Amino acid sequence: MAKTIGEDKGRFRSAKSVAHRLRQRVDYSSHGHQGGPERAIPEEAAQVDCGWGRLLFAQTFKDPTQLISALRQEAPEHRDIAIYVGDPHVVLATAPQELFLDPSHTFRLDLATYRSSRKQPRGFFIRRLSSEADAEAVNRIYAARNMVPVRPDFFWSNRDNRSITYLVAEDENTGEIVGTVTGIDHRRAFNDPEQGSSLWCLAVDPQARHPGIGEALVRRLAEHFKARGAACMDLSVLHDNDQAIRLYEKLHFRRIQAFAIKRKNSINERLYARPLEAYDVLNPYARLIVDEARRRGVHVEITDAEGGFFRLSQGGRSVHCRESLSELTSGVAMSICDDKAVTRRVVEGAGLVVPEQMTATDDDAKLAQFLEKHGRVVVKPARGEQGRGVAVGLDEFDAVKRAISTAREVCDRVLIEACFEGEDLRLVVIDFKLVAAAVRRPPYVTGDGRQTIRSLIEAQSRRRAAATGGESRIPMDAETERCLRLNDLTLDSVLEAGREVVVRKAANLHTGGSIHDVTEIAHPRLVEAAVKAARAINIPVVGIDFMVRSPTDPDYVFIEANERPGLANHEPQPTAERFLDLLFPLSGHRAASLALGKM
């Protein structure tokens, strides 16, 4: 990481000024320094470039004017943070239109008294970031957590920077990066006399299944800095992030009176500007679009928060939306998508590959014949969403009959399709161009030798709900019980440690499934088929679902089209950005770039 520490900026501070501004000084004798060495003198105007922005150590700046001048040098699309601001009221009074006091608490862990946990991580391990692939995975997690991304080459080019430590959590089975944390060594960054360190950018993949990833990352970083001889480790956390605060208090962090100041910019807007009325009631799919609209200066009026309805306006143009469904989608296109049998006929007419299908009737002989022909079938309501009433991979007549009965609770007309073995692929097409492709995988749990499957599902559902704003949970219903019976298990069975069991066959996010981006590797034939389906329906925004053997393989069968696809959870793909480009082509950075001839 390119270090911008003490760059030829006013190296003329008096010893009295230094002593006045250094906050929370450490008593060296209390940290094992007998008598203590001579106190180091910190760098003047110390800064550390973290890729997403700079950390400005305010206690090393000679006065508010110098600190404000540095904050004004913030790069576009970055977020600088001035930390350890001793007199925030004075700084804010100097530039009240430009700066705001960050509504976060600062916590400190005293490393001299910190004790490591004997509990070892299960299903994942912690290591240093070691490749560009790791860096790209970290950015994916940042995007999923609405954090400012960093150029992958920035991580990689700064992997040997002694001031900054990047740790990642890796899933033992899949090799996927499921968590990350960044640490700053203050002594190596600016010769800190307090021998401090700090934790930044703790983030866990919202789709991670293993508990304790965040705690393990915090502990490993604390152990790393303690081994280096650091006296403490600080962190900043939003005042209303109750889940994170509970974790830090559990690890014996304590509150300290330290403050941070940031610039007023589009990234920080939600921290200093009054939020839209009823904004918090919006689900993540609506909120993603609303946030992008506000960043572009598009006016937002929330018309029905609970239903996800809002109106976007700019200039003389106004568009009413329900999440990604807008007035640009015709009633005809919506009705085609609403009825899965109609959708199938339309896309089949356009040349797409579709599975054989029949409508469920009381003719058991016809049903048995269809099942015998295909071996395994899918049962689903002709109309419905979010995976309700869908059963996948049925191979027994009685199970099919039960699934039909369940599906009829969602819609009177039920469809039965031949089951295509493979992966569930969602392709988001906006303005007849592919924006994102993702494999959707069904939920599964991993045993620990102690807990029942019921307990494992409940714990995973809590994590999934917390990570998705309550949008994703694993139902414990007849379909879940059926899937367990296929493995001679029940909800009360105790899985041996390390054993993985799929608890539902359908990969829908709302029933606990997970989403994995494959946009860059999707086979061109799959992309072509998805765009062809969108054109056949004549719909500007759509989620096309295929079953595929692999996203890199051209073979597929069409499953359905969703007229209101969720644009969240497709990080790092710019789904909300492309949606706003469609609705308001002259808004945002894209329009500015076009006007300047840069695109």
Side-chain angles (χ1 to χ4, degrees), residues 288-456:
L288 181 76
I289 297 169
V290 166
D291 287 343
E292 177 61 21
R294 298 188 76 194
R295 277 193 290 269
R296 295 175 179 228
V298 175
H299 177 71
V300 178
E301 176 192 359
I302 299 175
T303 54
D304 185 335
E306 190 172 344
F309 289 88
F310 50 87
R311 182 176 294 280
L312 305 179
S313 305
Q314 186 179 56
R317 183 176 176 82
S318 176
V319 183
H320 205 187
C321 305
R322 184 183 187 189
E323 300 164 12
S324 66
L325 177 65
S326 76
E327 293 174 323
L328 274 64
T329 296
S330 70
V332 171
M334 184 173 174
S335 65
I336 290 173
C337 293
D338 183 55
D339 191 318
K340 295 177 175 63
V342 174
T343 316
R344 177 182 179 278
R345 291 197 296 270
V346 169
V347 300
E348 184 180 20
L352 272 71
V353 180
V354 298
E356 188 173 343
Q357 185 185 89
M358 67 170 284
T359 300
T361 66
D362 294 330
D363 189 340
D364 288 352
K366 186 177 179 180
L367 175 61
Q369 184 180 11
F370 189 88
L371 178 60
E372 183 179 359
K373 178 180 179 180
H374 297 288
R376 296 163 67 85
V377 298
V378 176
V379 173
K380 58 186 180 183
R383 292 177 174 172
E385 58 183 7
Q386 300 182 351
R388 289 192 292 267
V390 177
V392 179
L394 305 176
D395 58 4
E396 296 179 351
F397 183 82
D398 289 343
V400 173
K401 293 289 286 185
R402 286 193 296 269
I404 291 172
S405 178
T406 300
R408 280 185 173 144
E409 295 176 3
V410 178
C411 177
D412 290 339
R413 191 156 50 90
V414 175
L415 305 176
I416 304 170
E417 288 182 347
C419 186
F420 181 92
E421 294 294 336
E423 294 190 288
D424 186 327
L425 178 68
R426 161 64 63 87
L427 300 105
V428 177
V429 178
I430 299 177
D431 198 16
F432 306 109
K433 302 178 186 68
L434 178 72
V435 175
V439 168
R440 303 188 297 179
R441 293 179 180 142
Y444 63 95
V445 295
T446 304
D448 60 5
R450 303 187 308 274
Q451 299 183 77
T452 64
I453 293 176
R454 187 190 306 276
S455 297
L456 293 172

Side-chain angles (χ1 to χ4, degrees), residues 5 46 48 55 57 59 83-84 108 162-163 183-200 225 228 230 232-234:
I5 298 171
V48 175
L55 292 177
F57 292 91
Q59 72 269 41
I83 57 175
Y84 305 115
R108 170 166 292 176
R162 301 187 72 197
S163 300
I184 306 293
D185 188 325
H186 295 183
R187 291 182 303 166
R188 295 181 177 183
F190 64 96
N191 202 25
D192 180 21
E194 296 184 21
Q195 301 191 75
S197 64
S198 54
L199 176 155
W200 299 90
F225 283 134
R228 279 189 173 185
C232 59
M233 183 172 76
D234 295 347

Side-chain angles (χ1 to χ4, degrees), residues 407-599:
R408 280 185 173 144
E409 295 176 3
V410 178
C411 177
D412 290 339
R413 191 156 50 90
V414 175
L415 305 176
I416 304 170
E417 288 182 347
C419 186
F420 181 92
E421 294 294 336
E423 294 190 288
D424 186 327
L425 178 68
R426 161 64 63 87
L427 300 105
V428 177
V429 178
I430 299 177
D431 198 16
F432 306 109
K433 302 178 186 68
L434 178 72
V435 175
V439 168
R440 303 188 297 179
R441 293 179 180 142
Y444 63 95
V445 295
T446 304
D448 60 5
R450 303 187 308 274
Q451 299 183 77
T452 64
I453 293 176
R454 187 190 306 276
S455 297
L456 293 172
I457 290 176
E458 288 172 346
Q460 188 161 318
S461 282
R462 285 194 296 270
R463 292 193 295 273
R464 298 290 291 129
T468 60
E471 291 294 311
S472 180
R473 294 177 183 273
I474 304 173
M476 284 189 279
D477 55 14
E479 173 62 9
T480 301
E481 292 175 344
R482 183 190 71 82
C483 290
L484 291 175
R485 282 198 300 272
L486 295 175
N487 292 283
D488 297 322
L489 297 168
T490 70
L491 288 169
D492 296 318
S493 300
V494 175
L495 283 183
E496 55 266 34
R499 182 181 176 185
E500 296 180 344
V501 173
V502 173
V503 295
R504 293 183 74 86
K505 294 292 186 180
N508 194 283
L509 176 72
H510 292 84
T511 53
S514 57
I515 297 179
H516 308 266
D517 180 66
V518 294
T519 307
E520 300 303 321
I521 63 172
H523 194 280
R525 184 181 171 192
L526 302 179
V527 176
E528 178 186 356
V531 172
K532 187 181 291 185
R535 289 195 179 279
I537 301 168
N538 194 24
I539 186 167
V541 180
V542 66
I544 300 296
D545 293 343
F546 291 157
M547 287 299 295
V548 299
R549 303 199 187 283
S550 164
T552 60
D553 191 286
D555 293 336
Y556 73 92
V557 293
F558 173 87
I559 301 302
E560 64 183 38
N562 190 320
E563 76 280 1
R564 182 164 51 100
L567 301 185
N569 307 303
H570 283 283
E571 298 82 6
Q573 306 308 325
T575 51
E577 290 92 324
R578 297 295 85 84
F579 182 72
L580 265 294
D581 288 343
L582 172 70
L583 270 54
F584 300 95
L586 299 181
S587 68
H589 299 296
R590 179 181 173 89
S593 298
L594 284 169
L596 295 171
K598 295 181 178 180
M599 291 186 67

Side-chain angles (χ1 to χ4, degrees), residues 138-147 203-207 467 568-572:
V138 167
N139 260 340
R140 175 181 55 77
I141 295 174
Y142 283 176
R145 291 300 190 179
N146 297 313
M147 298 164 66
V204 176
D205 188 333
Q207 300 188 126
N569 307 303
H570 283 283
E571 298 82 6

